[in-house]
Amino acid sequence: MRTSFKQDITDQDDFKRKLLLWSQQFREVTFMDSNNYQQEYSNYDWILAVDAFTSIKTDYFNAFEDLKQYQQFSKDWLFGYLSYDLKNDTEELQSNNFDGLGFPDLFFYQPKKLFLAKGSQLEIRYLHFCDDELEDDWKEILSMGSDFETKSSKVNIQQRISAKSYLEKASKMLDYIHRGDLYEANFCMEFYAENAQIEPMEVYLKLNEISKPPFAVFFKNHKQYLLSASPERYLKKEGDTIISQPIKGTAKRFSDPEEDEKSKNELANNAKERAENIMITDLVRNDLSQTAQKGSVQVTELCGIYSFLQVHQMISTITSKLDPQHTAVDALRFTFPMGSMTGAPKISVMKIIEELEETKRGLYSGAVGYFTPEGDFDFNVVIRSILYNQQNHYLSFSVGSAITSLSVPENEYQECLLKAKAMFEVLK
């Protein structure tokens, strides 16, 4: 059980910064920020959860069943992530590529201390046994300076797949498509740095500032960090309603308003980008139907165009009603990994991805989110993100694009570089 307190916050940005700095003393931290992006399905503007009371950490084997039991037993707020390699739990698949990060496949925890913000109203929920710490915590938070000592980053970024190799691999993917083995595949490549030394909070704040996405996350599990500027929702459950919002289709932003509007319109009318989006929308409809009440799967928006600071994106929204015989974790298991990060048909694509990519995806193209005590949840897609293992000083970020029969490998490579731009910028 939790004790709940309410406070009014006038200067949101200053308070968020203080709270983030205060949170760094804890071993487990999850900060999720919508950056005031007016999302139709958002419950909170931002959330902070710190300090695990209980937790679950596992590899992919039986992972969804373990998570289901943990979630149903705790009936509390839980925060954590699903890595891409949980695909090996649901299908006869393997992940044998190089992994420099070494994160667990699944990690969730029950936080002792929780902060939930909507507008100027802040709700604080502490587990009963530590609610006597709130007054001292509150004083400490308010006394935090909103600045902190910056450290110079030492990062020498390398590319796992060279430009030449990328073009060869993308062409091979096209061969698979022309043979009829698949229709679309999200092909990704890693940028990485060994012996990297960064201040994770500083890098996260910079990345968030230049992107301001609706699904930003700062996640810390001891020495393992995710610094995410994700624009994409994977899956949300509210009551018996399930919402998926896959992104497929990307275009540049321009400082000149006319040029920017032209880029946006070209994306909206681009046959290749629309085909990509519609294929994944169909895949998501099929995934949702496995746990849905009959006839409840609906496409509520097809190929909508949304503008973010770095790029324009094409987003569709698909909803369903969860059949009472299925649990919250079932809804995740039957749709994971998200179609926007695999392609279609899903299992064939995941096998070919494993063959052509050179890095184990891990948390990249997985999901970070939370469960509520009522069994609702909200998860993002881990893209536009930096992963960092502070213990072995390994830093990684990956980018990808969808290969279809209409793809030109050189254009796909340029799209990858466009998506990597923000990460390069903050690691200079």
Side-chain angles (χ1 to χ4, degrees):
M1 294 290 289
R2 292 183 180 269
T3 306
S4 185
F5 307 85
K6 289 190 176 171
Q7 293 281 347
D8 280 327
I9 303 296
T10 48
D11 188 338
Q12 288 276 345
D13 289 340
D14 182 66
F15 181 77
K16 275 195 289 190
R17 199 174 172 92
K18 288 175 185 287
L19 195 61
L20 267 170
L21 294 173
W22 171 81
S23 75
Q24 296 309 292
Q25 65 189 284
F26 299 105
R27 183 186 171 100
E28 302 87 9
V29 180
T30 307
F31 178 69
M32 313 177 82
D33 194 355
S34 72
N35 285 296
N36 299 316
Y37 198 93
Q38 294 307 305
Q39 249 282 342
E40 181 183 348
Y41 298 104
S42 290
N43 293 84
Y44 303 101
D45 292 339
W46 55 265
I47 298 175
L48 175 75
V50 299
D51 201 9
F53 174 51
T54 66
S55 66
I56 179 174
K57 177 176 78 171
T58 183
D59 63 13
Y60 67 82
F61 181 75
N62 216 35
F64 282 106
E65 186 59 36
D66 290 347
L67 177 60
K68 184 190 291 189
Q69 290 180 20
Y70 180 55
Q71 187 264 324
Q72 291 180 339
F73 177 77
S74 65
K75 288 189 167 56
D76 194 13
W77 292 85
L78 303 175
F79 289 76
Y81 68 76
L82 311 163
S83 82
Y84 172 80
D85 300 289
L86 294 185
K87 66 184 174 59
N88 305 337
D89 181 31
T90 57
E91 305 294 345
E92 292 290 322
L93 297 168
Q94 294 181 317
S95 299
N96 299 316
N97 285 328
F98 173 76
D99 175 16
L101 287 160
F103 287 20
D105 289 336
L106 179 146
F107 177 76
F108 278 84
Y109 69 98
Q110 178 187 12
K112 294 178 188 172
K113 303 175 182 186
L114 181 60
F115 300 78
L116 305 156
K118 187 73 175 176
S120 61
Q121 183 87 167
L122 176 69
E123 189 170 358
I124 306 168
R125 299 183 185 179
Y126 276 34
L127 287 173
H128 280 340
F129 68 83
C130 63
D131 59 11
D132 59 338
E133 298 173 21
L134 177 64
E135 193 174 333
D136 287 343
D137 285 350
W138 187 252
K139 285 177 185 170
E140 193 180 336
I141 291 162
L142 295 182
S143 69
M144 297 293 293
S146 50
D147 266 330
F148 58 96
E149 186 182 344
T150 58
K151 296 180 183 175
S152 60
S153 297
K154 292 182 184 174
V155 183
N156 176 29
I157 298 169
Q158 300 177 71
Q159 195 166 319
R160 182 73 58 190
I161 297 174
S162 68
K164 179 174 179 287
S165 179
Y166 177 93
L167 297 177
E168 288 169 357
K169 287 170 180 281
S171 296
K172 193 165 182 184
M173 194 74 84
L174 280 170
D175 290 341
Y176 279 116
I177 291 170
H178 295 142
R179 269 175 33 186
D181 295 328
L182 53 104
Y183 309 113
E184 174 179 349
N186 193 300
F187 176 48
C188 301
M189 62 175 175
E190 182 196 27
F191 295 88
Y192 68 99
E194 297 167 325
N195 304 312
Q197 294 181 14
I198 64 166
E199 173 49 57
M201 176 56 66
E202 183 184 0
V203 172
Y204 165 76
L205 289 170
K206 283 181 184 172
L207 185 61
N208 190 52
E209 186 60 33
I210 65 171
S211 304
K212 293 201 181 301
F215 299 102
V217 176
F218 175 92
F219 181 87
K220 172 188 175 187
N221 176 22
H222 191 35
K223 301 281 189 182
Q224 298 170 348
Y225 291 87
L226 166 72
L227 320 171
S228 178
S230 174
E232 183 172 359
R233 170 179 276 125
Y234 156 44
L235 208 65
K236 178 182 173 73
K237 177 181 178 290
E238 192 162 7
D240 66 352
T241 300
I242 304 290
I243 302 130
S244 179
Q245 296 186 291
I247 291 179
K248 270 284 155 268
T250 305
K252 278 185 187 178
R253 297 292 319 256
F254 292 90
S255 53
D256 176 72
E258 281 187 27
E259 206 172 353
D260 195 54
E261 190 64 22
K262 182 185 172 195
S263 177
K264 187 175 170 181
N265 290 334
E266 283 175 354
L267 174 61
N269 296 306
N270 185 303
K272 174 193 173 285
E273 305 282 22
R274 288 185 68 85
E276 280 181 25
N277 195 296
I278 290 164
M279 272 191 268
I280 296 308
T281 298
D282 281 343
L283 185 151
V284 171
R285 286 174 61 223
N286 184 61
D287 282 352
L288 289 180
S289 70
Q290 296 183 75
T291 57
Q293 297 172 31
K294 194 171 181 181
S296 69
V297 180
Q298 305 284 333
V299 179
T300 58
E301 183 179 32
L302 186 63
C303 299
I305 305 297
Y306 291 80
S307 299
F308 303 95
L309 288 186
Q310 297 288 328
V311 289
H312 300 294
Q313 302 273 201
M314 188 180 284
I315 305 177
S316 292
T317 300
I318 308 100
T319 64
S320 68
K321 296 288 183 186
L322 187 66
D323 191 301
Q325 69 176 309
H326 289 294
T327 66
V329 173
D330 288 339
L332 293 165
R333 183 164 64 89
F334 281 101
T335 55
F336 195 83
M338 62 290 301
S340 61
M341 294 308 296
T342 58
K346 222 177 194 181
I347 296 171
S348 297
V349 168
M350 288 191 286
K351 288 176 180 173
I352 292 165
I353 282 171
E354 180 69 21
E355 174 199 326
L356 292 177
E357 292 181 357
E358 295 183 15
T359 310
K360 179 179 171 181
R361 287 193 184 180
L363 182 45
Y364 170 69
S365 75
V368 171
Y370 64 88
F371 292 92
T372 71
E374 298 75 32
D376 289 342
F377 60 69
D378 202 0
F379 284 85
N380 78 352
V381 177
V382 179
I383 51 174
R384 322 291 157 84
S385 301
I386 295 166
L387 292 150
Y388 180 52
N389 186 325
Q390 198 172 46
Q391 197 156 7
N392 67 6
H393 303 294
Y394 189 87
L395 180 145
S396 171
F397 62 90
S398 294
V399 289
S401 73
I403 311 291
T404 70
S405 62
L406 299 173
S407 289
V408 177
E410 180 58 46
N411 294 349
E412 300 299 338
Y413 182 72
Q414 292 305 320
E415 183 177 322
C416 287
L417 296 184
L418 173 63
K419 289 172 177 173
K421 183 178 163 224
M423 278 85 81
F424 271 109
E425 200 170 314
V426 300
L427 292 169
K428 281 177 185 171

